[in-house]
């Protein structure tokens, strides 16, 4: 799955352009004493949250505020409202249900085992589903279904006397549940369709559009039938259990048949509904599934754990005007005589797979196939709204090529007969890798070069490559349990860079992984509230929380480090062995380490300090990462290396290492000015290990007495930071300022900027040293180092944005970025590479925020041109969001209203719509900020639930919105909780974004009161809240510790040059009064910033 809820998506995504900001803060004007108070209160908050997590985590359904706001469909048909989160409605009774039933409610005491019993397992599902959607006259947004699951019992005894499986928000027809012994030797696995033939007839007899369950007659008792004597429902476990009159026999197959019905939800999970409006104005509805991680149980009763693999045979009833698509290619369609206008679509059985990978879309979307390139390649097609189908061409052109590349890379053919990629108008995640049917939100699959930015194009490619990598890593071989989610997501994320690099070699993806994946997570993973990638999870809330930056980004970085440490040859052969060994099955990280160890054993001369397992467990079972401290003996030409955990709170003093301190097996690659070729070689030349308690000495690194530079962790392939003695920092700074820049890889330049500025942030390096190093950027033209800088700079911008020295920071940014901005110009040039287009957007966005006068005039003129344009949008496509945002930020109500009108008319343009929505949140007018927050909460309004995160995420970029947001959340918590309690990805964003703009003791007091008042409602966002509070404490700490030093440097820097005064945005733009409109929009014909700057790669 590609995330939308976490910031990961935004990192690779189109959603925030190049200007990604983590750990935003508002200002915090406090004295030292009040700062300490503030810190104490935050600490108290952490304790409180910890207690909340401890007591509430095992009770995922314990919220008392669940509302029936989503129940419109059920209300219309007189059925129960769609699953409120309370115990009594988790499994609402269907008509006629409810004898011999017991129901357990959430316990409040000891943790409960939420796992299914291991003894009874599924082998084969035959699933019949009929969503009542697609006909405006009779949509009632319900679905009914029948599941026949072939089960068997693995061991004799008590465990075989009952069957437990997952179900949630489903109405089961208890009277009609049956369990029958299949004749010896009979299994659907050998005879697919067995269950289907029998059940289809029964199912068809029921009436159209009924909210009642399938009116199948209760099966007549036969000698093979085992009576179900009772059923029990556990809301806490999302489970139903059937007690049997006698135990099942070991070694025999049984058919468990369960009729049920449910509502097509509005929470974008399980089996849910989505809609769009065609250009003709007709509203269309579709029924879509999203099951990862624990939502298949909301669509049909099933054994909803990743290791309970089985084959799935789907049968879908649809209206004739619609079509369906699922994991497998359609086998046949037949009319339903009993239901005129309806047909069954029958699908062949899937391969053995996990329930979370089952997928289905019933819609009137259109499809298009890729040309068949070879008889062995799978069929490949895309599905989208008919009006948008042409914009799926880019995804369709790269998808098959990436899939072919992976077949080669993994040395295993794609195992299914087809791949379908569908763009769905409403989708919670970024995308989902369902086997053979990958689903995307529209903005991450559709690409229109005249509307979407370079960053959007990269996001589409990255997400396609991520989901296709899962077809092997995740789908063919699946993690045993969600605690190893990082294996799935880390691999898919890492391999996606290899996939995109294959189809778009000019994008330099293998450098970008450093700034897109590593730098963001190095910040999160430096918090005490971080967690190991391999994390214990039990309940659905904890499982959902595991889908975070640590699993995705750190997972990818650890795999990358392993790849570079083991060499490509060993890595790939170990990977292929692992995938072959565990095909159709489940594995854990130890299984991967075993395969890699075996592959490493076949290669001589590989430098490894211990087994792959021992090395990697220091990285996967421990949170955090080290900073390696380098002390050089220049006279002897040797090094001394030591490690300690890097924390953003800083580690004062260089005292002896604490025995309880964490340590790692650290691969050490390095290069020096005497041996530059090592800058291209990422293999470890040494390992710093936990056994090196006094550090590691390496001799003969340079010639004795040499005064050349040394760079450790080449291209930042190791997941750690490096700190040097001050002399070496000066040598590295000189290298960047005056040396031949092209000899230092872009990833290493990015690394130096990120390491220096973050070491300074943590108090481990003087800010003067870090900021002096940044001045080399006036000769930098590569997007990767710039991205690293802008990320670190954003923190400084947050910290100073309400300080009197902010003008000096703005001037510093303008001076630093001036040369590269001039070199890039404002219009895309035909020879531009994609990274150059991204760089232009990144730099100009920052300069607009720094109120660069000419650029502001230009943006104002562009906005006016756009307002007056009759057809094509005249603003350069990569800068549209920035121009819109500048208009909203520096303009008034008129500019905002103009943007808002365009937003309302943009439903046909998903990418443009997201730019406009975020731009509306750039306003500095408080009442308009509040308007947007309110609109994001409206159900059925013009901000889709999936898009509401754009509104909240934007808050942290806007100081005015930051001041308003938390107060708004507190005052409107009941309606926010009612709307988002079942949509964790939005709820987390609301909490994080509204807290991250706060920074005073008074704010903290308010936050604590708020949490106390609503305790019990934060279990799905426990870690999010912890991290937001820790970051708040760190901001207070930073201000007390570093503010003075930073501002002194800035004042000194500012004195060196006179900054021009900022210009205001003209409130009523008209082309006639914008003199800067002429001429200034073209790139100045200026030389590259410095003679020794590497020539940009021609497109
Ligand atoms: Zn994924």
């Amino acid at each position: 799955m590609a995330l939308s809820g976490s910031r990961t998506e935004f990192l690779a995504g189109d959603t925030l352009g190049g200007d990604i900001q983590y750990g935003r803060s508002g200002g915090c004007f406090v004295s030292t004493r009040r700062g300490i108070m503030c810190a104490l209160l935050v600490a108290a908050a952490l304790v409180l949250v910890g207690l909340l997590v401890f007591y509430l985590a095992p009770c995922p359904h314990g919220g008392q505020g669940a509302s029936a706001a989503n129940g419109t469909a059920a209300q219309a048909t007189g059925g129960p409202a769609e699953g409120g989160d309370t115990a009594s409605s988790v499994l609402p009774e269907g008509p006629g249900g409810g004898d011999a039933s017991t129901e357990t409610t959430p316990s409040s005491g000891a943790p409960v085992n939420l796992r299914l019993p291991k003894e009874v397992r599924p082998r084969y599902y035959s699933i019949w589903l009929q969503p009542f959607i697609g006909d405006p006259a009779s949509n009632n947004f319900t679905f009914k279904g029948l599941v026949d699951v072939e089960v068997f019992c693995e061991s004799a005894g008590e465990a075989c006397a009952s069957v437990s499986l997952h179900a949630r928000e489903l109405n089961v027809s208890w009277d009609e549940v049956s369990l029958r012994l299949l004749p010896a030797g009979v299994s659907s696995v050998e005879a697919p369709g067995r269950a289907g033939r029998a059940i289809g007839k029964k199912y068809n007899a029921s009436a159209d559009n009924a909210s009642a369950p399938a009116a199948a007659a209760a099966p007549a008792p036969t000698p093979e039938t085992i009576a179900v004597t009772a059923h029990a429902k556990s809301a806490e476990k999302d489970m139903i259990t059937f007690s049997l009159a006698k135990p099942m026999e070991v070694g025999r197959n049984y058919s468990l048949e369960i009729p049920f019905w449910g509502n097509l939800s509005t929470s974008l999970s399980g089996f849910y509904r989505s809609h769009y409006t065609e250009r003709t104005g007709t509203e269309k509805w579709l029924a879509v599934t999203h099951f990862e991680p624990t939502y298949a149980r909301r669509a049909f009763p099933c054994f909803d754990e990743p290791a309970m693999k089985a084959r799935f045979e789907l049968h879908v009833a649809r209206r004739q005007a619609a079509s369906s698509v699922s994991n497998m290619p359609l086998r046949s369609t037949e009319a339903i005589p009993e239901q005129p206008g309806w047909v069954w679509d029958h699908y062949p059985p899937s391969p053995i797979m996990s329930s979370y990978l089952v997928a289905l879309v019933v819609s009137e979307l259109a499809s298009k196939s890729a040309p068949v390139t070879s008889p062995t390649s799978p069929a490949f097609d895309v599905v989208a709204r008919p009006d948008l189908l042409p914009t799926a061409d880019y995804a369709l052109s790269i998808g098959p090529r990436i899939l072919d590349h992976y077949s080669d890379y993994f040395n295993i053919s794609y195992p299914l007969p087809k791949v379908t990629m569908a763009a769905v108008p409403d989708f919670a995640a970024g995308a989902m890798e369902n086997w053979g049917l990958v689903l995307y939100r529209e903005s991450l699959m559709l690409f229109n070069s005249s509307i979407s930015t370079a960053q959007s194009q990269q996001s589409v490619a990255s997400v396609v490559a991520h989901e296709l990598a899962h077809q092997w890593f995740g789908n063919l071989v699946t993690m045993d349990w969600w605690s190893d989610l990082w294996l799935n997501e880390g691999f898919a994320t890492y391999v996606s860079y290899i996939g995109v690099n294959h189809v778009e070699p000019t994008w330099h993806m293998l450098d970008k992984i450093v700034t897109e994946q590593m730098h963001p997570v190095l910040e999160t993973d430096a918090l005490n509230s971080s967690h190991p990638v391999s994390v214990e999870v039990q309940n659905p809330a904890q499982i959902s929380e595991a889908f975070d930056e640590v699993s995705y980004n750190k997972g990818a970085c650890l795999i990358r480090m392993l790849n570079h440490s083991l060499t490509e040859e060993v890595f790939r052969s170990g990977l292929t062995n692992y995938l072959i060994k565990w095909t159709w099955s489940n594995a854990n990280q130890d299984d991967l380490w075993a395969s890699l160890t075996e592959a490493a054993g076949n290669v001589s001369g590989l430098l490894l300090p211990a087994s792959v397992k021992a090395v990697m467990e220091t990285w996967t079972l421990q949170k955090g990462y080290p900073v390696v401290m380098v002390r050089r003996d220049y006279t002897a030409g040797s090094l001394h290396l030591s490690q300690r955990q890097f924390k953003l709170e800083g580690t004062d003093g260089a005292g002896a290492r604490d025995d309880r301190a964490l340590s790692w097996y650290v691969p050490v690659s390095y290069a020096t000015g005497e041996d530059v070729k090592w800058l291209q070689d990422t293999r470890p030349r040494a390992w710093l290990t936990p056994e090196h308690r006094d550090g590691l000495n390496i001799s003969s690194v340079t010639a004795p007495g040499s005064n050349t530079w040394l760079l450790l962790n080449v291209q930042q392939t190791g997941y750690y930071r490096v700190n040097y003695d001050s002399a070496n920092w000066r040598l590295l700074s000189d290298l960047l300022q005056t040396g031949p820049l092209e000899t230092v890889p872009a990833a290493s330049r990015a690394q130096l900027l990120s390491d220096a500025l973050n070491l300074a942030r943590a108090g481990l390096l003087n800010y003067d040293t870090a900021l002096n190093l940044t001045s080399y950027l006036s000769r930098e033209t590569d997007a990767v180092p710039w991205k690293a800088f802008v990320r670190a700079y954003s923190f400084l911008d947050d910290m100073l944005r309400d300080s009197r020295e902010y003008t000096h920071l703005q001037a510093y940014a303008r001076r630093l970025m001036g040369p590269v901005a001039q070199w890039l110009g404002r219009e895309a040039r035909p020879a531009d590479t994609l990274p150059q287009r991204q760089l232009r957007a990144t730099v100009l966005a920052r300069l607009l925020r720094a109120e660069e006068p000419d650029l502001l005039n230009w943006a104002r003129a562009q906005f006016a041109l756009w307002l007056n344009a009759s057809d094509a949008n005249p603003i350069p496509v990569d800068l549209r969001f920035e121009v819109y945002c500048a208009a909203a930020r520096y303009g008034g109500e008129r500019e905002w209203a103009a943007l808002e009108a365009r937003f309302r008319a943009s439903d046909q343009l998903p990418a443009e719509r997201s730019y406009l929505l975020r731009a509306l949140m750039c306003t500095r007018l408080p009442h308009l900020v509040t308007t947007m927050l309110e609109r994001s909460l409206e159900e059925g309004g013009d901000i889709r639930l999936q898009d509401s995160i754009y509104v909240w995420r934007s808050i942290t970029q806007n100081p005015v919105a930051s001041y308003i947001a938390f107060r708004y959340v507190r005052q409107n918590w009941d309606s926010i909780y009612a709307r988002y309690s079942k949509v964790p990805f939005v709820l987390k964003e609301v909490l994080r974004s509204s807290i991250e703009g706060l920074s005073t003791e008074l704010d903290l007091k308010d936050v604590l009161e708020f949490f106390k008042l609503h305790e019990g409602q934060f279990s799905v966002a426990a870690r999010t809240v912890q991290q937001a509070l820790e970051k708040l404490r760190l901001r207070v700490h930073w201000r007390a510790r570093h503010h003075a030093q930073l501002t002194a440097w800035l004042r000194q820097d500012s004195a060196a040059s006179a900054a021009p005064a900022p210009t205001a945005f003209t409130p009523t733009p008209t082309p006639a009064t914008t003199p800067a409109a002429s001429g200034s929009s073209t790139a100045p014909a200026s030389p590259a910033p410095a003679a020794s700057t590497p020539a940009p790669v021609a497109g």
Side-chain angles (χ1 to χ4, degrees):
M1 183 157 72
L3 295 183
S4 68
S6 105
R7 305 199 159 190
T8 301
E9 183 214 0
F10 291 82
L11 209 61
D14 63 333
T15 43
L16 283 182
D19 198 5
I20 314 302
Q21 302 190 16
Y22 284 64
R24 293 285 308 205
S25 80
C28 179
F29 290 104
V30 290
S31 67
T32 307
R33 213 179 81 200
R34 299 184 87 196
I36 291 167
M37 276 297 293
C38 194
L40 287 172
L41 283 166
V42 178
L46 286 171
V47 170
L48 175 66
V49 171
L51 289 171
L52 292 179
V53 174
F54 179 80
Y55 285 108
L56 296 172
C59 312
H61 319 306
Q64 62 268 48
S67 119
N70 292 334
T72 44
Q75 283 150 11
T77 58
E82 184 210 331
D85 251 3
T86 58
S88 62
S89 63
V90 166
L91 289 165
E93 287 295 338
D99 64 324
S101 152
T102 55
E103 182 165 325
T104 53
T105 50
S107 69
S108 54
V112 174
N113 178 9
L114 297 172
R115 302 289 300 271
L116 288 169
K118 287 186 170 36
E119 292 81 3
V120 179
R121 304 179 70 88
R123 198 190 292 283
Y124 193 101
Y125 292 84
S126 178
I127 301 165
W128 297 70
L129 284 171
Q130 184 171 23
F132 295 101
I133 200 160
D135 173 9
S138 55
N139 282 338
N140 79 348
F141 304 121
T142 62
F143 65 95
K144 64 176 182 177
L146 191 59
V147 61
D148 177 318
V149 52
E150 189 174 309
V151 296
F152 63 100
C153 196
E154 279 196 327
S155 56
E158 191 58 27
C160 300
S162 65
V163 183
S164 292
L165 67 172
H166 287 111
R168 182 174 162 88
E169 295 167 15
L170 294 176
N171 303 273
V172 171
S173 303
W174 305 107
D175 290 348
E176 292 158 14
V177 173
S178 70
L179 184 81
R180 287 179 301 110
L181 174 68
L182 294 171
V186 168
S187 164
S188 296
V189 178
E190 282 81 37
R194 173 197 60 75
R197 282 188 294 276
I199 294 171
K201 285 200 175 65
K202 271 195 291 190
Y203 193 102
N204 289 350
S206 61
D208 184 6
N209 217 6
S211 61
T222 67
E224 297 83 35
T225 306
I226 299 183
V228 174
T229 54
H231 66 268
K233 301 172 289 183
S234 166
E236 188 170 21
K237 298 181 174 185
D238 286 357
M239 247 180 242
I240 50 180
T241 299
F242 301 105
S243 304
L244 307 178
K246 60 176 184 179
M248 291 185 282
E249 292 173 41
V250 174
R252 299 296 298 270
N253 295 321
Y254 292 80
S255 156
L256 174 64
E257 196 178 304
I258 309 172
F260 60 92
W261 71 277
N263 290 301
L264 290 166
S265 86
T266 54
S267 61
L268 311 187
S269 59
F271 201 12
Y272 71 94
R273 60 199 200 244
S274 167
H275 74 99
Y276 60 97
T277 306
E278 290 187 316
R279 271 199 192 111
T280 56
T282 313
E283 186 174 47
K284 296 287 182 183
W285 287 91
L286 54 158
V288 189
T289 57
H290 178 68
F291 290 167
E292 192 181 21
T294 56
Y295 306 137
R297 65 192 67 172
R298 299 187 192 196
F300 54 91
C302 57
F303 296 80
D304 200 11
E305 293 188 359
M308 292 281 194
K309 286 192 171 185
R311 306 180 86 187
F312 294 84
E313 177 193 301
L314 256 75
H315 307 267
V316 183
R318 60 167 171 87
R319 294 178 204 279
Q320 271 164 342
S323 63
S324 74
V325 58
S326 183
N327 306 79
M328 297 296 287
L330 183 64
R331 186 180 60 202
S332 64
T333 295
E334 63 173 328
I336 309 179
E338 298 84 351
Q339 297 183 47
W342 286 82
V343 296
W344 278 114
D345 281 344
H346 300 294
Y347 289 90
S350 72
I352 292 170
M353 65 182 197
S354 306
S355 52
Y356 77 89
L357 293 170
V358 175
L360 173 66
V361 178
V362 178
S363 72
E364 292 178 48
L365 299 177
S367 72
K368 188 174 181 179
S369 301
V372 177
T373 51
S374 94
T376 55
S377 293
F380 206 114
D381 58 353
V382 285
V383 171
R385 302 190 214 180
D387 292 334
L388 300 179
L389 191 60
T391 61
D393 284 351
Y394 178 65
L396 189 59
S397 73
I398 59 169
R401 291 165 59 208
I402 293 174
L403 198 76
D404 276 355
H405 183 60
Y406 288 159
S407 292
D408 291 344
Y409 186 83
F410 295 126
N411 203 14
I412 299 171
S413 299
Y414 174 72
L416 267 65
K418 63 101 181 178
V419 180
T420 304
M421 304 203 300
V424 179
D426 299 280
F427 203 71
M432 176 61 209
E433 69 267 21
N434 315 298
W435 216 353
L437 175 55
V438 184
L439 301 183
Y440 296 81
R441 57 170 58 200
E442 290 179 329
S443 61
L444 290 174
M445 189 185 113
L446 305 179
F447 172 71
N448 178 343
S449 61
S450 63
I451 293 170
S452 303
T453 61
Q455 184 59 41
S456 295
Q457 188 177 6
Q458 187 193 311
S459 300
V460 169
S462 293
V463 175
V464 167
H466 177 107
E467 305 309 332
L468 294 181
H470 273 310
Q471 307 300 308
W472 286 263
F473 235 102
N475 299 5
L476 185 62
V477 179
T478 311
M479 76 256 133
D480 211 35
W481 179 241
W482 298 106
S483 47
D484 275 337
L485 176 74
W486 81 272
L487 267 188
N488 270 15
E489 297 303 346
F491 253 102
T493 304
Y494 177 59
V495 171
S496 74
Y497 283 80
I498 293 166
V500 177
N501 189 54
H502 175 74
V503 293
E504 302 286 3
T506 62
W507 291 6
H508 304 304
M509 293 303 292
L510 301 183
D511 288 338
K512 284 181 166 179
I513 195 168
V514 170
T515 51
E516 293 179 352
Q517 301 298 326
M518 191 181 288
H519 291 172
V521 75
L522 285 178
E523 288 177 32
T524 308
D525 205 21
L527 299 174
N528 288 320
S529 51
S530 187
H531 64 90
V533 287
S534 188
V535 59
E536 272 308 307
V537 289
Q538 280 295 324
N539 64 47
Q542 291 168 338
I543 294 167
S544 156
E545 278 224 298
F547 287 81
D548 71 354
E549 207 172 33
V550 171
S551 296
Y552 282 70
N553 301 40
K554 183 174 179 178
C557 294
L558 297 185
I559 303 294
R560 174 172 176 258
M561 177 166 68
L562 193 59
N563 190 168
H564 286 269
S565 298
L566 292 177
T567 71
E568 182 74 5
E569 179 198 352
V570 170
F571 179 74
R572 277 176 63 175
S573 105
L575 209 55
T576 300
N577 292 345
Y578 166 82
L579 289 172
I580 289 173
K581 184 170 182 184
W582 300 102
T583 286
W584 316 118
S585 184
N586 297 76
N588 59 37
Q589 61 177 18
D590 284 350
D591 300 319
L592 178 63
W593 308 150
S595 292
L596 289 166
T597 300
E598 195 183 318
N602 297 331
V603 174
S604 58
L606 198 66
L607 187 63
L608 265 180
S611 69
V612 174
K613 176 176 158 71
V615 169
M616 289 309 290
E617 282 188 347
T618 63
W619 298 95
T620 61
L621 302 183
Q622 301 184 128
K623 69 180 177 184
Y625 60 90
V627 50
V628 171
M629 288 156 298
V630 182
R631 295 285 173 268
R632 294 180 62 182
D633 183 333
Y634 294 84
T635 314
S638 63
L639 295 183
H640 179 265
L641 306 180
S642 58
Q643 61 168 307
R644 73 162 73 127
Q645 187 181 4
F646 178 82
K647 290 183 176 184
L648 275 177
E649 71 184 17
T651 321
D652 292 314
R657 202 172 82 195
D658 186 339
D659 277 348
R660 295 160 301 171
L662 305 182
S663 57
W664 290 262
Y665 281 101
V666 184
V668 178
S669 56
Y670 59 86
T672 70
E674 294 175 354
D675 221 351
V676 176
K677 71 171 193 296
W678 285 103
L679 282 173
Q680 306 299 333
D681 195 330
T682 55
R683 278 175 301 174
R685 300 170 69 182
W687 286 84
L688 176 61
T689 75
E691 289 78 44
H692 292 121
R693 300 197 56 78
D694 299 318
L696 169 70
N697 290 309
I698 308 178
S699 56
S700 306
V701 171
T702 60
S706 170
N707 206 23
T708 187
W709 53 265
L710 166 95
L711 189 145
L712 207 85
N713 194 15
V714 170
Q715 298 178 35
Q716 207 166 16
T717 47
Y719 182 74
Y720 59 94
R721 295 198 184 279
V722 184
N723 199 359
Y724 304 95
D725 55 56
S726 54
N728 195 61
W729 274 116
R730 260 196 313 279
L731 291 167
L732 286 168
S733 191
D734 289 348
L735 170 68
L736 295 180
Q737 309 276 3
T738 60
L741 211 48
E742 65 273 18
T743 59
V744 186
S748 290
R749 307 204 294 274
Q751 166 194 13
L752 289 170
L753 290 163
S754 175
D755 277 357
L757 286 163
N758 281 285
L759 288 164
R761 178 174 167 181
L764 298 174
L765 182 69
N766 194 309
Y767 256 112
D768 293 358
T769 304
L771 290 168
N772 287 339
L773 186 126
T774 66
S775 59
Y776 103 90
L777 283 165
S778 57
R779 46 195 310 246
E780 181 61 80
T781 57
D782 192 293
V784 171
W786 271 112
K787 183 148 185 156
F789 168 75
V790 165
R791 168 169 205 91
Y793 171 86
S794 297
F795 173 75
L796 302 179
D797 190 272
D798 295 347
M799 295 309 298
L800 295 194
R801 70 186 184 188
D802 51 5
S803 132
R804 67 185 293 185
E805 284 83 6
Y806 191 55
T807 52
H808 298 313
L809 186 73
Q810 301 267 69
Y812 159 71
R814 290 196 294 270
R815 277 195 300 282
L816 210 55
M817 296 182 180
V820 72
Q822 193 184 31
W823 174 72
L824 287 163
R826 290 162 193 166
E827 304 277 359
R829 296 171 297 207
D832 278 346
T833 59
L834 181 123
Q836 283 166 355
R837 292 174 55 198
Q838 290 171 311
L839 177 60
R840 181 179 293 113
T842 301
V843 166
L844 297 192
R846 258 301 142 202
L847 281 175
L848 273 171
R849 273 157 219 232
E851 304 195 22
E852 204 282 314
D854 286 348
L855 191 61
L856 268 187
N857 283 334
W858 175 82
R860 180 180 56 192
Q862 290 288 311
F863 187 68
L865 279 175
W866 178 57
L867 291 187
N868 292 297
S870 53
D871 48 7
N873 188 332
I875 307 171
V877 66
D878 291 325
L879 300 175
R880 281 182 195 160
F881 166 69
E882 297 305 335
V883 169
Y884 302 159
C885 178
R889 185 190 300 130
Y890 303 117
E893 291 211 34
R894 283 181 66 163
E895 284 78 9
W896 194 87
L899 286 164
E900 203 268 346
R902 303 283 177 125
F903 168 74
R904 274 189 277 112
S906 66
D907 190 52
Q908 301 294 326
L909 310 167
E912 174 80 351
R913 194 172 177 80
S914 78
Y915 307 147
L916 287 163
L917 180 58
R918 291 186 294 118
L920 289 170
M921 280 301 289
C922 293
T923 180
R924 289 169 167 176
L925 299 177
H927 67 289
L928 295 180
V929 171
T930 306
T931 301
M932 290 303 292
L933 298 182
E934 269 172 16
R935 280 173 60 178
S936 82
L937 294 174
E938 284 167 13
E939 186 157 12
D942 55 8
I943 299 177
R944 290 175 185 268
L945 179 59
Q946 66 162 8
D947 294 335
S948 55
I949 51 171
Y950 298 143
V951 172
W952 291 90
R953 179 81 38 87
S954 302
I955 288 167
T956 55
Q957 311 247 337
N958 178 341
V960 176
S962 292
Y963 292 123
I964 294 171
F966 178 70
R967 194 175 56 177
Y968 182 86
V969 168
R970 196 175 47 177
Q971 285 170 346
N972 298 279
W973 177 248
D974 288 344
S975 57
I976 290 173
Y977 189 76
R979 177 96 167 99
Y980 295 148
S981 62
K982 291 202 301 175
V983 197
F985 77 100
V986 180
L987 192 72
K988 285 184 216 174
E989 197 54 52
V990 167
L991 289 167
R992 168 162 48 210
S993 300
S994 57
I995 294 170
E996 286 196 356
L998 304 178
S999 56
T1000 70
E1001 292 162 65
L1002 282 174
D1003 293 333
L1004 183 61
K1005 185 164 165 284
D1006 289 347
V1007 172
L1008 289 170
E1009 265 175 23
F1010 168 71
F1011 284 136
K1012 191 167 189 321
L1013 195 61
H1014 301 286
E1015 63 183 78
Q1017 296 186 327
F1018 304 111
S1019 62
V1020 295
R1023 190 175 293 125
T1024 301
V1025 169
Q1026 266 185 316
Q1027 292 183 351
L1029 284 170
E1030 186 179 353
K1031 286 182 191 169
L1032 170 56
R1033 178 173 60 80
L1034 287 170
R1035 287 193 293 274
V1036 174
H1037 182 65
W1038 184 95
R1039 185 179 291 276
R1041 207 169 167 206
H1042 302 296
H1043 186 270
Q1045 190 196 5
L1046 179 72
T1047 53
W1049 187 91
L1050 287 171
R1051 271 194 300 270
Q1052 207 174 20
D1053 182 61
S1054 218
S1057 59
T1063 319
F1065 205 92
T1066 303
T1068 50
T1070 54
T1073 58
T1074 52
S1078 60
S1080 66
S1081 63
T1082 50
S1086 144
S1092 59
T1093 299
V1097 182

